Amino acid sequence: SQTIHQWPATLVQPVGSPLSLECTVEGTSNPNLYWYRQAAGRGLQLLFYSVGIGQISSEVPQNLSASRPQDRQFILSSKKLLLSDSGFYLCAWSGNMNTEAFFGQGTRLTVV
Amino acid sequence: QQQVKQSPQSLIVQKGGISIINCAYENTAFDYFPWYQQFPGKGPALLIAIRPDVSEKKEGRFTISFNKSAKQFSLHIMDSQPGDSATYFCAASRNYGGSQGNLIFGKGTKLSVKP
């Protein structure tokens, strides 16, 4: 069976510090991978998606970047965090032909 | 064209009542309409989904009603229970030559079921 792992679960970082959130998927090959951000009381905003190694599409301009160094690994990064980067970050995967997206448990990021 | 509009933003229902959440879309190319359920501090999970070739799909207490001409779909939760208290997201996507496109999510509805 497929599983998605996302860590850490919570993170408190000072303004200006770097960020690295990691997501890995097990039990499937060549998944589509996604990073979403969910601000308090708001919907799911798609930040990045990837259809293969090294292939990253950005949905919104921002202070964040994403990388996919391996088939089932997706990393969300920032060189210098802003207060506005606080939020709940969710990684998700889907199969190329499938329609369902499977979400990780999320990372609660607080920038102070 | 890419938006999915969801209402209400929040909903309070008594135990045993019917919860109804509505969504509307503009892009007639959308062909997959899922609903996700999210508990606090957790990632969303697929609850139920429908395609435009049917007008209704039922799974247990959860029913999706789909109106293609009105470009609307709704989630009905029958006999609502306190354990149903969560945030619900509707979404839509379209097929691009055999590959499903990215999901477009509504802004979510926070449901509270009072005992």
Side-chain angles (χ1 to χ4, degrees), chain B residues 64-78:
Chain B
I64 297 180
S65 297
F66 185 79
N67 186 330
K68 188 174 182 179
S69 61
K71 293 186 285 186
Q72 295 175 347
F73 58 110
S74 60
L75 175 69
H76 294 234
I77 306 174
M78 311 300 289

Side-chain angles (χ1 to χ4, degrees), chain A residues 26-54:
Chain A
E26 297 178 356
T28 186
S29 297
N30 196 30
N32 294 332
L33 296 173
Y34 308 86
W35 278 111
Y36 288 86
R37 176 168 58 202
Q38 185 176 19
R42 301 184 66 180
L44 296 162
Q45 180 186 35
L46 180 62
L47 302 176
F48 301 95
Y49 69 94
S50 171
V51 298
I53 296 174

Side-chain angles (χ1 to χ4, degrees), chain A residues 82-104:
Chain A
L82 306 172
L83 286 174
S84 58
D85 291 324
S86 295
F88 191 50
Y89 289 85
L90 289 155
C91 179
W93 77 271
S94 70
N96 287 333
M97 298 302 294
N98 290 345
T99 49
E100 179 176 358
F102 299 88
F103 286 84

Side-chain angles (χ1 to χ4, degrees), chain A residues 8-64:
Chain A
T10 59
L11 189 61
V12 180
Q13 291 284 99
V15 169
S17 65
L19 173 73
S20 181
L21 301 181
E22 188 165 344
C23 173
T24 60
V25 180
E26 297 178 356
T28 186
S29 297
N30 196 30
N32 294 332
L33 296 173
Y34 308 86
W35 278 111
Y36 288 86
R37 176 168 58 202
Q38 185 176 19
R42 301 184 66 180
L44 296 162
Q45 180 186 35
L46 180 62
L47 302 176
F48 301 95
Y49 69 94
S50 171
V51 298
I53 296 174
Q55 301 179 60
I56 309 294
S57 297
S58 174
E59 288 292 297
V60 293
Q62 58 205 310
N63 183 43
L64 302 168

Side-chain angles (χ1 to χ4, degrees), chain B:
Chain B
Q1 278 264 317
Q2 286 292 89
Q3 282 188 331
V4 176
K5 296 182 179 179
Q6 183 173 348
S7 63
Q9 188 173 0
S10 62
L11 180 63
I12 299 174
V13 174
Q14 289 297 123
K15 178 183 176 181
I18 302 174
S19 304
I20 302 175
I21 305 171
N22 301 297
C23 283
Y25 63 98
E26 298 174 354
N27 190 343
T28 55
F30 285 147
D31 65 350
Y32 175 65
F33 303 89
W35 285 89
Y36 282 79
Q37 180 187 54
Q38 183 183 29
F39 293 105
K42 303 295 183 183
L46 180 68
L47 186 63
I48 187 172
I50 198 169
R51 289 197 178 270
D53 52 345
V54 297
S55 60
E56 185 175 284
K57 182 175 181 180
K58 184 176 181 179
E59 292 183 2
R61 296 185 293 109
F62 301 91
T63 300
I64 297 180
S65 297
F66 185 79
N67 186 330
K68 188 174 182 179
S69 61
K71 293 186 285 186
Q72 295 175 347
F73 58 110
S74 60
L75 175 69
H76 294 234
I77 306 174
M78 311 300 289
D79 187 26
S80 299
Q81 299 296 312
D84 297 329
S85 298
T87 299
Y88 293 81
F89 293 95
C90 63
S93 69
R94 59 165 289 186
N95 188 288
Y96 291 88
S99 178
Q100 203 70 21
N102 295 333
L103 287 167
I104 309 297
F105 284 90
K107 291 190 180 298
T109 296
K110 185 175 182 180
L111 171 66
S112 296
V113 181
K114 299 300 183 184

